[in-house]
Amino acid sequence: MRSLRRHATTLILVALAAATAVVLLVLDRGAVSTDEAGRRRKHLLEAWRPDEITELTVTMAFPAGPETARLTRGEVNDAGQRPWLVEIGGQRYPADEPTVDKLLGTLEFATAERPVSAGAIDAAALGLASPRLTIALAMGPRRERLLLGGDAPTPPGAVYAEVAGRGVFVITKQLAAALDIPPDRFRSRSFVPYLPSELSGLTLEGDGGPRRFSRAPWGGGRGAGFRFAEGSPEGSGVRVSAPAMEGVLSALGRLQVEAFLSEEEAQEAAAAGGPRVTLTLLPSDPSAKPGVIELGGACPDRPDHVVAVRREPTRAAACVPASALDPLTEQASRFVDLALVGAPLDEVAEVKLSVGERGEGGARSLELARAGSEWHLRAPEDRPVPTETGRALVQAILDVRATRLLPAASDPRALGLDPPRATLRVLSTPPESAGEGEPIERIETLEIGAEHAGVVHVRRLEDGAIAEIPAAAAGALLPSAISLRSMAVFDFAPDQVGALRVERPGLVQRLRRTGDGAWQLVEPTGDGLAADGALADELAEQLGGLKAERWVAPDAGQGYGLAAPRLVVEAELTSAPGPGGAGDAATRSARVELGARAGAGSFARAGEGAPVFVAPPALEAAAGRLLLRRDVFAVAPEDIARVTLTPAGGKPVVAEASPGGFTLAGAADQATATATAAAVRDALADLRAEGAVALGKPAPHHGLSPPRLRITVDLARPQPAPAAGGGAGAPRSPGGSFTVAIGAGDAFRGTNVVYARRDGVDAVYAIAQSRVRPLLEAAGVR
């Protein structure tokens, strides 16, 4: 018994010691250690333990009364994080994490300019009796409280701040502004209740008509995994265009709140304009409510925003960017996917073509697979394929677009699809499949029908849609051995070209290099015509490095528009083209014929009987223009004695050179006159044409008979005429003057231009309107 009493006493003492330790530990958690105090001696808050922060309260004074945001940590989510929640006016919302993080970062590193001595503290006088901002922080057992009061005398913009238990300090204008966050800003700016990855479908109603989309089994990145929902006029299950749907999903991401609206404000805006679009978001979680958002109506005092009203799953109203409306009001037809293959190039892993009994002129099987960034041919033979060639073959398949989709009830036999002429299988790996285990593969199979009346029908087995495509485009879906040859058509240096010949219906251009390497115009001939060396060099460069966008067929036959080419380009070489070119060492020339259009490019061949390829649009852009020099209008300022601008039906305006510079003759306001004359002088020096557009006399549509503006330039000294055939330098004016006529406006190669003609030059040119505008304005021509 005595022993038991002795042990009981020991147990009681141990228990008391443990309890004391627990109490001391709890009390010590709230204390600031010497090390911590030393590290933070210059900071407003003497302790900072971010992992222990569980609550943050911000109260701001307003004329109508104080407003408070109470922020608390939420439960751990699927990502292992504890998001912040904010309570405002008795309602709880997701918090705006960046705003919370910004405030916490400011509090952590907040420092004072100087302390205020205890004897000088008058809470009312310092604005701390009724603080404009109060921030309370729960950090484990510690409670921190910061008050912002009135303005301090120095430094400029400084503010008094009180830290509970530590005293009053002066803080800078910058720190006060960083802490001065209205409670409403802690509410999450994201208005859409679900992420795109959380949706099983969505619908749009209003402007653009009803559009219903659902998730598709083939998956794909963001916009790639959707189809039209059951009952859609476009066809149940028909694949939705990935770029169009990406626009919708991006618009949802842009629905960020600029300002929240009260229920009354939202109703007033709706009454004034009404919603333009109603968006319904269908979550994948069956227990979650659909999200319903109405968009439209002018936002008060924000012209670039519209009103958004969220009806479900929680009610809210806000101003959001008006730009988000555009993708949400697209017509349903814009969402129909006319691409034959939906996967992008970088996701394609394998292409396999099988030609049926009706296959013509190609291998019965072709199989191409990606190995990293390289490509490998598996059938009809086993060999590596140059990366450029493999990418070009696959890209050509991906570029094929239908002109339309046929109704689902169409007769496959009548369309040449029963049985199909060939089957094309494209295997790809969508990005979201990357992760643990085997990647998820997407398999797209196309059944290709026989050609009939210039069209080919193709059935996409992925969604059952039947596409109609031009027969010429269908060739990309039937690659053969020719498709895998090197993409290089020619390979020679531009300076090997000694002569160029460009022929198109009604016009032949011939240029030849002179001994000093300059270009001389041989044909056509005419007054003042000369070769443009830069344009000729550009064409020589295009030819020397010409690469096929894709190879089409071993021979053109009578097809592809090559029986009567639209454009023929020939280069005479001073030495043989390098290896890989279609023009070999024996020919000492390179010839390209351009036939029918093939998308942005053209069907082409490097001489009669050569394989057909698709030439890039840059070749025709370089060869399809008049290779005439473009500086025939420009004149150096020092060569100008007088410029007379004569508008149609108006009075001439004369600018003259003088020792003090150019000025307008007879002008009352000399300052304005000098500036205008200088603009005229500079415009003439910069009057370079975009290019020649016609030879000989102008046509009626050029607007040069009579012109809008006639510009007569009197030169300071006479200039000799050019040598026959077009020598170096701009056309000279032996009479000491020349005239430029400015005509109608138009567009030329994507640039807004005016037509122009110079006397002594037998051609009509296009000059950018921006270059001519100072001359028109000086003459008062609108």
Side-chain angles (χ1 to χ4, degrees):
M1 182 65 70
R2 186 180 301 136
S3 174
L4 180 60
R5 284 198 299 270
R6 185 172 64 251
H7 287 301
T9 302
T10 301
L11 291 172
I12 291 170
L13 291 174
V14 169
L16 288 172
T20 301
V22 169
V23 171
L24 290 174
L25 177 63
V26 171
L27 293 175
D28 190 58
R29 283 181 59 205
V32 179
S33 68
T34 303
D35 287 345
E36 187 174 20
R39 289 195 308 270
R40 298 190 57 81
R41 65 180 183 277
K42 294 182 179 180
H43 293 82
L44 286 178
L45 302 183
E46 61 180 350
W48 189 260
R49 301 161 189 174
D51 292 340
E52 297 183 20
I53 298 174
T54 56
E55 186 175 319
L56 180 65
T57 302
V58 177
T59 301
M60 184 171 285
F62 290 97
E67 293 183 9
T68 298
R70 178 174 172 267
L71 294 137
T72 54
R73 289 280 194 185
E75 298 297 326
V76 177
N77 59 19
D78 294 339
Q81 299 175 333
R82 295 181 61 194
W84 287 94
L85 299 173
V86 61
E87 181 180 322
I88 300 174
Q91 299 291 321
R92 299 189 77 191
Y93 311 99
D96 188 63
E97 298 283 340
T99 302
V100 179
D101 291 342
K102 177 183 176 182
L103 178 59
L104 291 176
T106 301
L107 290 171
E108 179 181 3
F109 298 105
T111 58
E113 279 289 289
R114 64 181 183 274
V116 177
S117 63
I121 296 176
D122 181 339
L126 302 182
L128 294 168
S130 301
R132 68 188 196 189
L133 179 69
T134 302
I135 300 175
L137 187 70
M139 187 164 51
R142 291 185 64 85
R143 296 294 182 269
E144 302 285 359
R145 190 163 175 265
L146 174 65
L147 311 178
L148 262 61
D151 295 339
T154 58
V159 171
Y160 290 111
E162 180 181 353
V163 180
R166 295 200 69 195
V168 176
F169 303 86
V170 173
I171 63 174
T172 64
K173 174 184 178 181
Q174 291 75 19
L175 175 57
L179 295 170
D180 198 8
I181 302 175
D184 193 55
R185 293 300 300 178
F186 290 100
R187 190 171 168 183
S188 173
R189 303 289 106 183
S190 297
F191 197 73
V192 178
Y194 303 115
L195 296 172
S197 59
E198 299 172 330
L199 299 179
S200 65
L202 60 93
T203 66
L204 295 167
E205 295 178 294
D207 290 8
R211 291 138 292 166
R212 298 189 291 276
F213 311 114
S214 62
R215 282 284 181 190
W218 50 79
R222 282 179 65 88
F226 284 85
R227 59 184 174 182
F228 283 94
E230 185 175 352
S232 296
E234 295 71 29
S236 298
V238 168
R239 195 169 71 203
V240 170
S241 165
M245 182 54 72
E246 175 64 25
V248 169
L249 300 182
S250 296
L252 300 187
R254 292 201 302 275
L255 291 180
Q256 297 291 310
V257 175
E258 175 65 22
F260 286 99
L261 300 175
S262 66
E263 202 62 48
E264 294 75 15
E265 289 174 320
Q267 290 175 359
E268 289 176 6
R276 291 180 55 191
V277 175
T278 298
L279 168 68
T280 303
L281 304 172
L282 305 175
S284 302
D285 183 354
S287 64
K289 290 183 178 181
V292 180
I293 298 173
E294 296 174 350
L295 290 164
C299 216
D301 302 323
R302 288 180 170 83
D304 295 333
H305 292 73
V306 295
V307 174
V309 178
R310 188 175 64 218
R311 302 296 183 189
E312 296 287 349
T314 56
R315 293 185 66 84
C319 293
V320 298
S323 61
L325 269 177
D326 294 338
L328 305 180
T329 55
E330 293 279 12
Q331 298 288 331
S333 59
R334 297 291 296 273
F335 289 90
V336 176
D337 191 1
L338 296 177
L340 274 290
V341 176
L345 176 64
D346 291 340
E347 294 177 13
V348 175
E350 181 181 287
V351 173
K352 184 175 182 179
L353 172 71
S354 300
V355 181
E357 292 298 319
R358 296 190 229 176
E360 299 176 1
R364 292 212 170 271
S365 177
L366 186 145
E367 188 172 344
L368 185 69
R370 186 198 297 270
S373 61
E374 305 296 322
W375 292 90
H376 194 93
L377 185 66
R378 293 176 178 169
E381 56 182 312
D382 191 291
R383 63 177 175 86
V385 171
T387 300
E388 183 181 48
T389 302
R391 287 179 65 89
L393 183 149
V394 177
Q395 188 63 63
I397 293 172
L398 304 186
D399 286 343
V400 179
R401 296 287 187 275
T403 53
R404 63 181 180 127
L405 298 185
L406 274 60
S410 302
D411 180 8
R413 184 174 293 276
L415 300 176
L417 288 166
D418 188 15
R421 171 171 44 153
T423 301
L424 183 67
R425 177 178 176 269
V426 178
L427 183 148
S428 60
T429 305
E432 67 267 25
S433 65
E436 297 183 1
E438 292 296 321
I440 300 172
E441 296 178 341
R442 177 183 181 182
I443 298 175
E444 299 180 71
T445 302
L446 306 179
E447 292 182 344
I448 304 165
E451 180 182 343
H452 178 70
V455 299
V456 171
H457 293 98
V458 179
R459 177 160 45 199
R460 294 188 309 218
L461 296 192
E462 187 172 71
D463 63 350
I466 296 177
E468 182 177 284
I469 61 176
L477 303 176
L478 299 166
S480 62
I482 189 69
S483 307
L484 296 170
R485 66 181 293 169
S486 168
M487 307 311 293
V489 180
F490 297 123
D491 185 10
F492 55 82
D495 58 9
Q496 291 180 246
V497 179
L500 287 167
R501 185 180 187 275
V502 182
E503 180 180 355
R504 67 189 192 198
L507 177 66
V508 174
Q509 297 184 81
R510 289 193 298 133
L511 292 83
R512 185 171 297 279
R513 284 195 195 270
T514 61
D516 60 0
W519 288 97
Q520 183 179 33
L521 183 67
V522 179
E523 190 179 357
T525 59
D527 291 341
L529 301 184
D532 189 302
L535 295 181
D537 286 341
E538 181 183 348
L539 178 54
E541 186 175 355
Q542 286 290 333
L543 278 175
L546 182 60
K547 292 185 177 181
E549 291 196 338
R550 66 180 173 92
W551 291 97
V552 177
D555 187 81
Q558 295 298 308
Y560 305 104
L562 290 165
R566 291 184 300 110
L567 193 63
V568 178
V569 186
E570 261 187 294
E572 180 182 307
L573 306 176
T574 57
S575 60
D584 57 30
T587 63
R588 298 185 62 78
S589 67
R591 176 186 173 94
V592 179
E593 302 172 358
L594 299 185
R597 301 282 185 187
S602 304
F603 290 111
R605 63 182 176 184
E608 189 172 349
V612 179
F613 64 95
V614 174
L619 176 62
E620 184 167 355
R625 63 199 313 175
L626 288 167
L627 304 176
L628 302 179
R629 67 179 316 139
R630 294 164 288 173
D631 59 355
V632 297
F633 301 97
V635 57
E638 61 270 20
D639 290 340
I640 301 174
R642 181 184 297 102
V643 178
T644 304
L645 308 175
T646 307
K651 294 182 179 180
V653 175
V654 179
E656 297 178 317
S658 67
F662 275 74
T663 187
L664 295 187
D669 185 347
Q670 283 303 314
T672 302
T674 300
T676 302
V680 169
R681 175 201 62 201
D682 295 343
L684 286 172
D686 191 41
L687 206 58
R688 180 182 178 84
E690 298 297 303
V693 296
L695 295 170
K697 301 297 183 184
H701 75 275
H702 293 145
L704 291 164
S705 300
R708 296 163 63 197
L709 176 66
R710 194 178 300 277
I711 307 167
T712 301
V713 181
D714 295 317
L715 301 170
R717 54 185 179 274
Q719 299 172 339
R732 302 299 182 182
S733 303
S737 68
F738 66 89
T739 301
V740 175
I742 303 297
D746 205 342
F748 176 75
R749 295 178 177 266
T751 300
N752 291 327
V753 298
V754 294
Y755 293 117
R757 185 178 177 87
R758 171 179 166 160
D759 59 356
V761 181
D762 201 17
V764 178
Y765 287 81
I767 304 177
Q769 291 183 12
S770 59
R771 296 179 187 268
V772 179
R773 189 171 295 116
L775 301 169
L776 296 173
E777 290 176 350
V781 178
R782 297 186 178 279

